[in-house]
Amino acid sequence: STDASEVKIRIYDITGSLVTEIDGATVGEGSSIWNKYNDVEWGGTNGRGNVVLNGIYPFEITAKLGDRIVSGRGKIAVLK
């Protein structure tokens, strides 16, 4: 019901090493289903701009909501 003031997305390799960190911008929820969620694109590169290898990459999203921090984890597949 409220927009996050700060969003960070951290993508790791399978060994747990940080691949890249992305700052996510938040936009208020729209009235249609197509505007309901925020999308953040990742070009499949690491922090130095090099393309990563095919594989599974765990990620963590943290969002600051006022004085609370909410986080979630998942996995993303890179296939070229």
Side-chain angles (χ1 to χ4, degrees):
S1 63
T2 60
D3 290 338
S5 60
E6 181 181 323
V7 176
K8 295 278 187 196
I9 304 166
R10 291 177 186 88
I11 301 173
Y12 300 91
D13 64 19
I14 202 70
T15 67
S17 297
L18 182 65
V19 172
T20 192
E21 182 175 281
I22 302 168
D23 289 326
T26 61
V27 180
E29 183 178 313
S31 58
S32 83
I33 186 67
W34 304 112
N35 296 328
K36 188 169 182 72
Y37 303 102
N38 292 303
D39 293 333
V40 176
E41 291 188 25
W42 173 47
T45 58
N46 63 21
R48 295 185 297 265
N50 300 324
V51 176
V52 299
L53 298 173
N54 287 349
I56 303 295
Y57 291 83
F59 65 86
E60 178 182 33
I61 299 173
T62 56
K64 187 173 181 181
L65 301 168
D67 58 352
R68 294 183 324 149
I69 295 180
V70 179
S71 66
R73 295 178 184 210
K75 296 176 185 168
I76 187 168
V78 173
L79 303 172
K80 299 174 221 162

